[in-house]
Amino acid sequence: MPKNGEPILIPVGEREVRVSSPDKVYFPARGITKRQVVEHYVAVGEPLLRAIGERPTTLKRYVDGVEGEWFYAKRVPKGAPEWVETAKITFPSRRTAEEVCPTEPAVFAWAANLGTFDFHPWPVRRPDVDHPDELRIDVDPPDEAGFSDAVEVAGVVREVLDSAGLVGYPKTSGGRGVHVLVRIRPEWDFIDVRHAVIALGREVERRIPDKATIAWWKEERGGRVFIDYNQAARDRTVASAWSVRGTPRATVSTPLTWDLLTEVDPDDFDVLTAGAFYAERGDLHAPMDDQAFGIESLLEWYARDERDHGLGEMPYPPDYPKMPGEPKRVQPSKARDDTP
């Protein structure tokens, strides 16, 4: 008998998904197997499809489990079944690729069999891949801070969103951070949406300057929680709701309400518990699709900051081409007058 067990077929809707080596241990600290990861994705297939269906999606694959090397699969893997659909996306370099575009829950089980832990969807849907319909705020605590710090800053994010006439939905990142999602109308491009997140982050920083920052360079953050505005840039993504994360505990990024966010610990949600949480509570982010908002107020704030305070464009990630109006892409302590 093979070391990790004979292949099995797992029913998902109208399909049966083949799972090879189902007993292969993916999370040694807890003995969690590939089969259990696949079963997690079967259990949460419905809300996960609601969250990322029709979205170009990057697969974060751990083919040797959490202790092995991982990589991002930004193109549909060879040998994918014909029912795994794709969407064409354009990278900042202007190169293009056909990415996995989930249209049914079986896609998640198939991807998990390939060692996919996280699903990283673009904030767009296949009919219009250049205009995001989701505003994503990544609240990222530094090493010296923790989940409670991220929750505190996320609460101020909520207040600022309310000031802009927007409604956000929080979820655990699966680590120590918090993600806040807002459904928006797909009327603005990636540059506008990124500017909207910058404006929001600046306002959060003004309200709690000792706790939150939007500074791109770590040397300027001073141990504060970072609002990672560059996660709104083209080809930058966050792990989706219900994604398994590459942590020893096999934590899961889980949708919450604002009240629950202050009561839970991110370790409460993992491969063995997230499905039961969904079965008991339902999809707490389902109402997000009831209304799509505009980002006009945030863009007005961005224009105001540029006009009245000299605060304009901010650095992009290092792998991006130089962008119009971008400041020097070098940390301040190493900047020289001739640095581009």
Side-chain angles (χ1 to χ4, degrees), residues 39-236:
E39 289 173 342
H40 160 76
Y41 280 119
V42 173
V44 300
E46 181 180 347
L48 179 53
L49 187 65
R50 186 179 296 117
I52 72 172
E54 292 287 338
R55 297 189 185 280
T57 300
T58 299
L59 311 180
K60 190 173 183 180
R61 294 175 59 186
Y62 294 74
V63 295
D64 294 316
V66 71
E67 295 182 355
E69 297 292 326
W70 57 265
F71 63 95
Y72 287 113
K74 294 192 175 186
R75 290 173 170 79
V76 63
K78 292 181 179 179
E82 52 86 21
W83 45 265
V84 174
E85 298 189 30
T86 65
K88 185 177 182 179
I89 47 89
T90 301
F91 300 117
S93 66
R94 309 313 300 172
R95 292 181 297 108
T96 62
E98 293 288 339
E99 275 205 329
V100 170
C101 184
T103 57
E104 58 179 289
V107 172
F108 308 131
W110 162 79
N113 179 59
L114 298 181
T116 300
F117 288 179
D118 316 31
F119 293 89
H120 283 250
W122 282 46
V124 300
R125 297 195 191 268
R126 183 162 52 173
D128 186 353
V129 295
D130 293 316
H131 294 87
D133 72 340
E134 196 162 271
L135 194 72
R136 297 171 176 173
I137 302 100
D138 183 8
V139 182
D140 184 16
D143 292 340
E144 57 268 39
F147 182 68
S148 62
D149 299 285
V151 169
E152 181 180 349
V153 172
V156 180
V157 168
R158 183 189 187 188
E159 295 172 2
V160 174
L161 287 171
D162 184 65
S163 297
L166 305 173
V167 176
Y169 291 78
K171 68 182 183 74
T172 64
S173 69
R176 293 174 297 111
V178 174
H179 298 154
V180 181
L181 312 178
V182 181
R183 179 69 66 241
I184 62 173
R185 299 190 301 272
E187 298 174 4
W188 296 272
D189 63 16
F190 280 94
I191 292 175
D192 282 337
V193 171
R194 179 175 169 277
H195 285 170
V197 177
I198 290 173
L200 180 143
R202 284 172 173 157
E203 183 60 26
V204 172
E205 187 177 48
R206 289 187 186 102
R207 297 191 185 193
I208 46 170
D210 295 334
K211 199 75 175 184
T213 181
I214 198 172
W216 176 247
W217 304 109
K218 288 186 178 181
E219 66 183 34
E220 296 184 314
R221 295 178 193 168
R224 293 172 291 173
V225 174
F226 176 46
I227 297 175
D228 190 354
Y229 63 90
N230 267 331
Q231 294 291 32
R234 179 183 288 271
D235 193 32
R236 290 285 161 157

Side-chain angles (χ1 to χ4, degrees), residues 230-246:
N230 267 331
Q231 294 291 32
R234 179 183 288 271
D235 193 32
R236 290 285 161 157
T237 56
V238 299
S240 75
W242 306 111
S243 272
V244 179
R245 305 310 308 274

Side-chain angles (χ1 to χ4, degrees), residues 246-324:
T247 63
R249 187 173 176 78
T251 49
V252 169
S253 177
T254 303
L256 299 170
T257 63
W258 286 105
D259 287 342
L260 280 175
L261 183 66
T262 63
E263 300 172 2
V264 302
D265 184 280
D267 284 351
D268 294 341
F269 311 106
D270 57 40
V271 164
L272 304 181
T273 63
F277 178 79
Y278 165 61
E280 177 185 355
R281 299 275 189 159
D283 184 1
L284 298 178
H285 281 193
M288 185 163 59
D289 288 325
D290 291 347
Q291 182 178 3
F293 296 90
I295 60 172
E296 295 92 342
S297 293
L298 294 178
L299 294 178
E300 288 172 5
W301 295 358
Y302 183 87
R304 174 206 62 196
D305 285 343
E306 187 170 34
R307 180 186 65 247
D308 298 343
H309 305 293
L311 300 172
E313 188 57 274
M314 295 188 69
Y316 274 79
D319 56 324
Y320 273 61
K322 189 70 174 179
M323 300 295 287

